[in-house]
Amino acid sequence: MAKIDPQEPESAEKWEVQLRKGSLELAVLASLWDGRLYGLEILRRLATDSDLIVGEGTVYPLLNRLKAVGLVASECVESDSGHPRKYYRLTPPGRRRALEMSRIWTRLSASMDDLLTPLNKDRGKDKS
Amino acid sequence: MTIPTAAQQKIDAYLKTLREGLSGLGDEDARDVVEEIRSHILDKAAVGGDIAPAAVASAIAALGTAEELASQYVTDDLLMRARISRSPWVILRSLFRWASLSLAGFFVLISSLAGYFLAGSFVLCALLKPIHPQAAGLWRLPDPEDVYSFSLRLGFGPPPTGGKEILGWWIIPIGLIIGMGFVLLTFRFGLWSLRKFWRPRRLPGLSGAETMQ
Protein backbone atom coordinates (compact mmCIF):
# COMPACT_ATOMS: atom_id res chain seq x y z
CA MET A 1 0.00 0.00 0.00
CA ALA A 2 1.40 3.41 -1.00
CA LYS A 3 2.23 5.77 1.85
CA ILE A 4 0.66 9.18 1.84
CA ASP A 5 3.11 11.99 2.26
CA PRO A 6 1.61 14.42 4.82
CA GLN A 7 3.69 17.20 3.26
CA GLU A 8 2.12 16.55 -0.13
CA PRO A 9 -0.14 19.54 -0.86
CA GLU A 10 -2.28 17.42 -3.18
CA SER A 11 -3.58 15.41 -0.22
CA ALA A 12 -5.30 18.41 1.33
CA GLU A 13 -6.56 19.49 -2.05
CA LYS A 14 -8.11 16.12 -2.72
CA TRP A 15 -9.76 16.20 0.66
CA GLU A 16 -11.13 19.65 -0.12
CA VAL A 17 -12.52 18.42 -3.44
CA GLN A 18 -14.31 15.59 -1.65
CA LEU A 19 -15.65 18.01 0.95
CA ARG A 20 -16.98 20.36 -1.70
CA LYS A 21 -18.41 17.44 -3.63
CA GLY A 22 -20.29 16.28 -0.56
CA SER A 23 -21.72 19.71 0.16
CA LEU A 24 -22.85 20.50 -3.39
CA GLU A 25 -26.25 18.87 -3.01
CA LEU A 26 -27.04 20.92 0.09
CA ALA A 27 -25.77 24.07 -1.63
CA VAL A 28 -28.06 23.53 -4.63
CA LEU A 29 -31.08 22.79 -2.45
CA ALA A 30 -30.30 25.85 -0.32
CA SER A 31 -30.01 28.07 -3.39
CA LEU A 32 -33.62 27.18 -4.24
CA TRP A 33 -34.97 27.88 -0.74
CA ASP A 34 -36.35 31.33 -1.57
CA GLY A 35 -37.96 30.40 -4.86
CA ARG A 36 -37.51 28.99 -8.31
CA LEU A 37 -34.33 29.54 -10.31
CA TYR A 38 -33.04 28.28 -13.65
CA GLY A 39 -29.69 26.53 -14.04
CA LEU A 40 -27.53 29.56 -14.76
CA GLU A 41 -29.12 31.49 -11.89
CA ILE A 42 -28.33 28.61 -9.54
CA LEU A 43 -24.72 28.61 -10.72
CA ARG A 44 -24.46 32.36 -10.23
CA ARG A 45 -26.03 32.07 -6.80
CA LEU A 46 -23.51 29.41 -5.81
CA ALA A 47 -20.67 31.55 -7.15
CA THR A 48 -21.70 34.68 -5.26
CA ASP A 49 -23.17 33.30 -2.03
CA SER A 50 -20.86 30.39 -1.35
CA ASP A 51 -17.21 29.55 -1.59
CA LEU A 52 -18.05 26.55 -3.74
CA ILE A 53 -16.27 26.58 -7.07
CA VAL A 54 -18.63 24.61 -9.20
CA GLY A 55 -17.96 23.11 -12.60
CA GLU A 56 -20.92 24.06 -14.76
CA GLY A 57 -21.19 20.63 -16.30
CA THR A 58 -21.60 19.22 -12.80
CA VAL A 59 -24.68 21.09 -11.69
CA TYR A 60 -27.04 20.17 -14.53
CA PRO A 61 -26.74 16.37 -14.09
CA LEU A 62 -27.12 16.91 -10.33
CA LEU A 63 -30.32 18.92 -10.87
CA ASN A 64 -31.55 16.12 -13.11
CA ARG A 65 -30.90 13.59 -10.37
CA LEU A 66 -32.55 15.72 -7.68
CA LYS A 67 -35.56 15.99 -9.94
CA ALA A 68 -35.65 12.24 -10.54
CA VAL A 69 -35.71 11.52 -6.82
CA GLY A 70 -38.43 14.12 -6.26
CA LEU A 71 -36.49 16.72 -4.28
CA VAL A 72 -36.95 19.40 -6.93
CA ALA A 73 -39.53 19.95 -9.66
CA SER A 74 -39.04 21.79 -12.92
CA GLU A 75 -41.09 23.74 -15.40
CA CYS A 76 -40.28 25.33 -18.74
CA VAL A 77 -40.99 29.04 -18.96
CA GLU A 78 -40.69 31.24 -22.04
CA SER A 79 -38.22 34.05 -21.50
CA ASP A 80 -37.69 37.50 -22.97
CA SER A 81 -34.47 36.28 -24.49
CA GLY A 82 -36.42 34.17 -26.97
CA HIS A 83 -35.80 30.68 -25.67
CA PRO A 84 -37.51 28.71 -22.91
CA ARG A 85 -35.76 28.29 -19.58
CA LYS A 86 -36.11 25.38 -17.23
CA TYR A 87 -36.89 26.62 -13.73
CA TYR A 88 -36.34 24.48 -10.66
CA ARG A 89 -38.12 24.71 -7.34
CA LEU A 90 -38.01 22.68 -4.15
CA THR A 91 -40.77 20.14 -3.63
CA PRO A 92 -42.11 19.56 -0.07
CA PRO A 93 -39.76 16.54 0.35
CA GLY A 94 -36.95 18.73 -1.03
CA ARG A 95 -37.65 21.41 1.58
CA ARG A 96 -37.65 18.79 4.32
CA ARG A 97 -34.38 17.32 3.00
CA ALA A 98 -32.78 20.79 2.81
CA LEU A 99 -33.80 21.55 6.41
CA GLU A 100 -32.52 18.21 7.63
CA MET A 101 -29.19 18.59 5.79
CA SER A 102 -28.85 22.15 7.03
CA ARG A 103 -29.42 20.99 10.63
CA ILE A 104 -26.76 18.28 10.29
CA TRP A 105 -24.33 20.69 8.64
CA THR A 106 -24.77 23.33 11.35
CA ARG A 107 -24.35 20.81 14.16
CA LEU A 108 -21.26 19.25 12.57
CA SER A 109 -19.77 22.61 11.73
CA ALA A 110 -20.25 23.89 15.31
CA SER A 111 -18.66 20.80 16.83
CA MET A 112 -15.76 20.99 14.39
CA ASP A 113 -15.27 24.67 15.22
CA ASP A 114 -14.84 23.74 18.88
CA LEU A 115 -12.35 21.05 17.98
CA LEU A 116 -10.42 23.28 15.62
CA THR A 117 -10.14 26.29 17.92
CA PRO A 118 -6.66 25.34 19.25
CA LEU A 119 -5.44 24.63 15.72
CA ASN A 120 -6.63 27.97 14.47
CA LYS A 121 -4.85 29.75 17.35
CA ASP A 122 -1.59 27.93 16.61
CA ARG A 123 -1.99 28.55 12.89
CA GLY A 124 -2.05 32.28 13.66
CA LYS A 125 1.19 31.89 15.61
CA ASP A 126 2.80 29.88 12.82
CA LYS A 127 2.02 32.59 10.31
CA SER A 128 3.52 35.29 12.50
CA MET B 1 -31.36 37.98 -30.19
CA THR B 2 -29.15 37.37 -33.20
CA ILE B 3 -26.96 34.33 -33.41
CA PRO B 4 -24.13 34.44 -35.97
CA THR B 5 -23.90 31.39 -38.20
CA ALA B 6 -20.53 30.34 -36.80
CA ALA B 7 -21.85 30.46 -33.24
CA GLN B 8 -24.99 28.56 -34.20
CA GLN B 9 -22.92 25.86 -35.89
CA LYS B 10 -20.77 25.51 -32.80
CA ILE B 11 -23.83 25.16 -30.57
CA ASP B 12 -25.49 22.67 -32.93
CA ALA B 13 -22.34 20.53 -33.14
CA TYR B 14 -22.00 20.44 -29.35
CA LEU B 15 -25.65 19.58 -28.82
CA LYS B 16 -25.57 16.92 -31.54
CA THR B 17 -22.70 15.15 -29.79
CA LEU B 18 -24.48 15.56 -26.45
CA ARG B 19 -27.70 14.08 -27.87
CA GLU B 20 -25.79 11.11 -29.27
CA GLY B 21 -24.18 10.49 -25.89
CA LEU B 22 -27.56 10.55 -24.18
CA SER B 23 -28.87 7.55 -26.10
CA GLY B 24 -29.17 5.61 -22.82
CA LEU B 25 -31.86 8.06 -21.63
CA GLY B 26 -35.43 8.10 -22.89
CA ASP B 27 -36.17 10.35 -25.89
CA GLU B 28 -38.12 12.90 -23.89
CA ASP B 29 -35.50 13.10 -21.13
CA ALA B 30 -32.69 13.46 -23.68
CA ARG B 31 -34.59 16.22 -25.51
CA ASP B 32 -35.14 18.04 -22.19
CA VAL B 33 -31.45 17.87 -21.36
CA VAL B 34 -30.40 19.14 -24.79
CA GLU B 35 -32.86 22.07 -24.63
CA GLU B 36 -31.70 23.01 -21.14
CA ILE B 37 -28.06 23.01 -22.19
CA ARG B 38 -28.93 25.02 -25.33
CA SER B 39 -30.67 27.56 -23.13
CA HIS B 40 -27.67 27.68 -20.77
CA ILE B 41 -25.20 28.31 -23.59
CA LEU B 42 -27.38 31.07 -25.10
CA ASP B 43 -27.90 32.77 -21.72
CA LYS B 44 -24.24 32.53 -20.82
CA ALA B 45 -23.02 33.77 -24.19
CA ALA B 46 -25.50 36.61 -24.55
CA VAL B 47 -23.88 40.00 -24.03
CA GLY B 48 -26.18 43.00 -24.57
CA GLY B 49 -28.58 40.95 -26.67
CA ASP B 50 -25.93 39.69 -29.08
CA ILE B 51 -24.08 36.43 -29.13
CA ALA B 52 -20.43 36.35 -30.11
CA PRO B 53 -18.81 33.13 -31.35
CA ALA B 54 -16.03 33.58 -28.79
CA ALA B 55 -18.59 33.81 -25.96
CA VAL B 56 -20.25 30.64 -27.22
CA ALA B 57 -16.91 28.86 -27.28
CA SER B 58 -16.23 29.99 -23.73
CA ALA B 59 -19.69 28.88 -22.50
CA ILE B 60 -19.20 25.47 -24.10
CA ALA B 61 -15.70 25.08 -22.67
CA ALA B 62 -17.05 25.78 -19.18
CA LEU B 63 -19.50 22.91 -19.54
CA GLY B 64 -16.78 20.41 -20.41
CA THR B 65 -16.88 18.17 -23.46
CA ALA B 66 -20.26 16.97 -24.68
CA GLU B 67 -19.13 13.36 -24.16
CA GLU B 68 -18.25 13.99 -20.49
CA LEU B 69 -21.47 15.84 -19.86
CA ALA B 70 -23.55 13.11 -21.49
CA SER B 71 -21.64 10.49 -19.55
CA GLN B 72 -22.56 12.17 -16.25
CA TYR B 73 -26.24 12.18 -17.15
CA VAL B 74 -26.22 8.56 -18.33
CA THR B 75 -24.21 7.35 -15.34
CA ASP B 76 -26.50 9.14 -12.90
CA ASP B 77 -29.54 7.72 -14.63
CA LEU B 78 -28.22 4.15 -14.58
CA LEU B 79 -27.11 4.45 -10.98
CA MET B 80 -30.49 5.71 -9.89
CA ARG B 81 -32.36 3.04 -11.78
CA ALA B 82 -30.02 0.35 -10.48
CA ARG B 83 -30.58 1.46 -6.89
CA ILE B 84 -34.34 1.09 -7.11
CA SER B 85 -34.51 -1.64 -9.73
CA ARG B 86 -35.45 -5.26 -9.28
CA SER B 87 -34.42 -6.16 -12.84
CA PRO B 88 -31.21 -8.18 -13.37
CA TRP B 89 -30.98 -6.62 -16.84
CA VAL B 90 -30.87 -3.06 -15.44
CA ILE B 91 -28.30 -4.14 -12.85
CA LEU B 92 -26.16 -5.79 -15.53
CA ARG B 93 -26.32 -2.71 -17.78
CA SER B 94 -25.27 -0.57 -14.84
CA LEU B 95 -22.41 -2.93 -14.09
CA PHE B 96 -21.16 -2.66 -17.69
CA ARG B 97 -21.23 1.12 -17.31
CA TRP B 98 -19.43 0.97 -13.96
CA ALA B 99 -16.85 -1.43 -15.40
CA SER B 100 -16.07 1.10 -18.13
CA LEU B 101 -15.31 3.69 -15.42
CA SER B 102 -13.39 1.85 -12.73
CA LEU B 103 -11.41 -1.26 -11.87
CA ALA B 104 -13.74 -2.09 -8.97
CA GLY B 105 -16.66 -2.02 -11.39
CA PHE B 106 -14.76 -4.30 -13.75
CA PHE B 107 -14.23 -6.93 -11.02
CA VAL B 108 -17.84 -6.78 -9.91
CA LEU B 109 -18.92 -7.18 -13.53
CA ILE B 110 -16.65 -10.18 -14.10
CA SER B 111 -17.91 -11.82 -10.89
CA SER B 112 -21.50 -11.17 -11.87
CA LEU B 113 -21.00 -12.56 -15.37
CA ALA B 114 -19.44 -15.69 -13.86
CA GLY B 115 -22.41 -16.00 -11.49
CA TYR B 116 -24.96 -15.65 -14.28
CA PHE B 117 -22.99 -18.08 -16.44
CA LEU B 118 -23.08 -20.72 -13.68
CA ALA B 119 -26.77 -20.05 -13.10
CA GLY B 120 -27.49 -20.42 -16.80
CA SER B 121 -25.49 -23.65 -16.98
CA PHE B 122 -27.44 -25.30 -14.14
CA VAL B 123 -30.83 -24.19 -15.45
CA LEU B 124 -30.01 -25.23 -19.03
CA CYS B 125 -28.77 -28.58 -17.82
CA ALA B 126 -32.01 -29.14 -15.90
CA LEU B 127 -34.10 -28.14 -18.89
CA LEU B 128 -32.16 -30.31 -21.33
CA LYS B 129 -32.25 -33.45 -19.18
CA PRO B 130 -35.69 -34.58 -20.45
CA ILE B 131 -34.57 -34.01 -24.06
CA HIS B 132 -31.08 -35.59 -23.90
CA PRO B 133 -31.20 -37.79 -20.79
CA GLN B 134 -27.96 -39.58 -21.72
CA ALA B 135 -25.96 -36.41 -22.22
CA ALA B 136 -27.33 -33.80 -19.80
CA GLY B 137 -26.51 -34.12 -16.13
CA LEU B 138 -23.73 -34.01 -13.56
CA TRP B 139 -20.95 -36.58 -13.94
CA ARG B 140 -18.16 -37.55 -11.61
CA LEU B 141 -15.03 -37.99 -13.73
CA PRO B 142 -12.78 -41.03 -13.33
CA ASP B 143 -9.73 -39.18 -12.06
CA PRO B 144 -8.18 -41.06 -9.11
CA GLU B 145 -5.97 -38.09 -8.24
CA ASP B 146 -8.78 -35.59 -8.08
CA VAL B 147 -11.82 -36.75 -6.13
CA TYR B 148 -13.57 -33.47 -6.79
CA SER B 149 -13.49 -33.74 -10.57
CA PHE B 150 -17.00 -33.15 -11.88
CA SER B 151 -18.44 -32.42 -15.30
CA LEU B 152 -21.71 -30.58 -15.81
CA ARG B 153 -23.01 -31.64 -19.22
CA LEU B 154 -25.54 -29.54 -21.02
CA GLY B 155 -26.81 -32.24 -23.33
CA PHE B 156 -24.60 -31.90 -26.36
CA GLY B 157 -22.17 -34.61 -27.30
CA PRO B 158 -21.62 -37.95 -25.60
CA PRO B 159 -21.25 -38.26 -21.81
CA PRO B 160 -17.66 -38.29 -20.47
CA THR B 161 -15.94 -41.64 -20.94
CA GLY B 162 -15.93 -43.67 -17.76
CA GLY B 163 -17.79 -40.92 -15.90
CA LYS B 164 -20.46 -41.75 -13.40
CA GLU B 165 -23.67 -39.76 -13.38
CA ILE B 166 -24.36 -38.78 -9.79
CA LEU B 167 -27.71 -37.00 -9.82
CA GLY B 168 -29.76 -38.71 -12.52
CA TRP B 169 -33.18 -37.16 -12.86
CA TRP B 170 -32.61 -35.19 -9.67
CA ILE B 171 -30.58 -32.79 -11.80
CA ILE B 172 -33.89 -31.24 -12.87
CA PRO B 173 -35.12 -29.91 -9.49
CA ILE B 174 -31.61 -29.49 -8.09
CA GLY B 175 -30.30 -27.76 -11.23
CA LEU B 176 -33.28 -25.40 -11.22
CA ILE B 177 -32.89 -24.60 -7.52
CA ILE B 178 -29.11 -24.09 -7.75
CA GLY B 179 -29.49 -22.09 -10.98
CA MET B 180 -32.13 -19.78 -9.54
CA GLY B 181 -30.07 -19.53 -6.35
CA PHE B 182 -27.08 -18.33 -8.38
CA VAL B 183 -29.29 -15.81 -10.22
CA LEU B 184 -30.58 -14.46 -6.92
CA LEU B 185 -27.17 -14.32 -5.26
CA THR B 186 -25.51 -12.73 -8.29
CA PHE B 187 -28.30 -10.18 -8.57
CA ARG B 188 -28.08 -9.32 -4.87
CA PHE B 189 -24.29 -9.08 -5.07
CA GLY B 190 -24.43 -6.73 -8.07
CA LEU B 191 -27.12 -4.56 -6.45
CA TRP B 192 -25.27 -4.42 -3.12
CA SER B 193 -21.99 -3.49 -4.84
CA LEU B 194 -23.66 -0.74 -6.86
CA ARG B 195 -25.40 0.74 -3.84
CA LYS B 196 -22.37 0.46 -1.62
CA PHE B 197 -19.47 1.45 -3.83
CA TRP B 198 -20.54 3.23 -6.98
CA ARG B 199 -20.67 6.98 -6.69
CA PRO B 200 -21.21 9.34 -9.61
CA ARG B 201 -18.09 11.29 -10.46
CA ARG B 202 -18.55 14.98 -9.79
CA LEU B 203 -15.61 17.28 -9.75
CA PRO B 204 -16.57 20.76 -8.66
CA GLY B 205 -14.06 23.40 -9.66
CA LEU B 206 -10.87 22.68 -7.81
CA SER B 207 -9.68 20.03 -10.23
CA GLY B 208 -9.06 22.71 -12.81
CA ALA B 209 -12.35 22.59 -14.68
CA GLU B 210 -13.55 25.92 -15.95
CA THR B 211 -15.95 27.46 -13.51
CA MET B 212 -18.47 30.23 -13.10
CA GLN B 213 -17.15 33.67 -13.70
Side-chain angles (χ1 to χ4, degrees):
Chain A
M1 197 170 149
K3 283 187 179 172
I4 297 171
D5 179 1
Q7 297 297 319
E8 177 65 50
E10 193 184 57
S11 305
E13 260 188 29
K14 278 184 180 171
W15 176 78
E16 190 178 351
V17 169
Q18 292 303 318
L19 193 62
R20 287 172 183 278
K21 208 157 85 165
S23 49
L24 185 57
E25 184 173 321
L26 170 59
V28 168
L29 292 176
S31 71
L32 293 169
W33 186 256
D34 290 330
R36 68 178 195 182
L37 297 174
Y38 59 92
L40 188 56
E41 284 181 324
I42 293 172
L43 281 159
R44 286 180 174 149
R45 187 78 182 271
L46 294 177
T48 53
D49 292 355
S50 79
D51 190 30
L52 283 175
I53 307 164
V54 183
E56 294 182 18
T58 295
V59 165
Y60 286 100
L62 174 61
L63 284 166
N64 201 46
R65 184 166 67 80
L66 293 175
K67 184 183 161 192
V69 295
L71 296 180
V72 302
S74 70
E75 60 181 332
C76 272
V77 178
E78 287 298 329
S79 68
D80 297 339
S81 53
H83 55 268
R85 287 176 179 146
K86 193 172 181 180
Y87 278 84
Y88 293 90
R89 64 178 168 76
L90 289 177
T91 59
R95 292 185 83 78
R96 283 197 296 275
R97 171 69 70 87
L99 279 175
E100 178 73 1
M101 290 174 82
S102 159
R103 190 182 59 77
I104 293 169
W105 177 278
T106 307
R107 193 183 60 201
L108 187 67
S109 167
S111 67
M112 286 300 287
D113 281 349
D114 292 342
L115 192 64
L116 296 178
T117 303
L119 278 76
N120 289 332
K121 280 181 188 164
D122 286 353
R123 198 181 52 185
K125 284 179 200 162
D126 284 354
K127 274 184 181 173
S128 60
Chain B
M1 182 187 293
T2 49
I3 307 175
T5 309
Q8 186 65 58
Q9 284 172 346
K10 206 174 265 291
I11 295 170
D12 288 344
Y14 185 83
L15 296 178
K16 182 171 179 283
T17 310
L18 177 65
R19 179 69 185 85
E20 286 166 0
L22 294 172
S23 57
L25 267 58
D27 271 354
E28 198 178 327
D29 289 342
R31 210 169 28 243
D32 264 9
V33 169
V34 168
E35 286 315 310
E36 183 172 35
I37 298 301
R38 182 196 305 280
S39 172
H40 170 88
I41 296 169
L42 292 175
D43 278 335
K44 186 94 192 289
V47 182
D50 284 332
I51 290 182
V56 167
S58 163
I60 286 175
L63 282 167
T65 69
E67 289 88 352
E68 283 167 357
L69 187 57
S71 172
Q72 281 204 59
Y73 276 106
V74 173
T75 302
D76 272 7
D77 180 64
L78 272 175
L79 181 57
M80 245 176 341
R81 280 196 283 157
R83 282 179 171 164
I84 56 174
S85 176
R86 287 288 172 269
S87 156
W89 173 237
V90 171
I91 301 295
L92 207 53
R93 271 189 64 200
S94 307
L95 289 180
F96 270 104
R97 180 81 192 164
W98 187 18
S100 72
L101 299 171
S102 84
L103 199 59
F106 176 76
F107 282 120
V108 174
L109 175 67
I110 293 295
S111 308
S112 294
L113 287 178
Y116 283 126
F117 177 77
L118 272 173
S121 301
F122 274 103
V123 170
L124 260 179
C125 187
L127 296 178
L128 286 171
K129 184 68 176 173
I131 304 167
H132 291 272
Q134 301 305 315
L138 186 66
W139 270 265
R140 175 108 176 256
L141 299 179
D143 184 350
E145 290 181 9
D146 185 0
V147 291
Y148 298 108
S149 186
F150 294 96
S151 173
L152 188 69
R153 312 289 294 186
L154 298 182
F156 303 103
T161 314
K164 185 184 176 199
E165 194 180 4
I166 53 176
L167 284 178
W169 289 98
W170 281 103
I171 188 67
I172 297 176
I174 291 174
L176 287 175
I177 290 170
I178 293 178
M180 295 316 290
F182 266 116
V183 168
L184 192 67
L185 280 177
T186 308
F187 169 78
R188 301 293 304 180
F189 169 71
L191 189 60
W192 176 80
S193 304
L194 284 167
R195 286 174 173 167
K196 184 95 179 163
F197 300 114
W198 190 16
R199 298 283 176 271
R201 289 184 304 174
R202 299 188 192 293
L203 296 174
L206 276 184
S207 58
E210 288 202 39
T211 52
M212 280 297 302
Q213 299 300 310

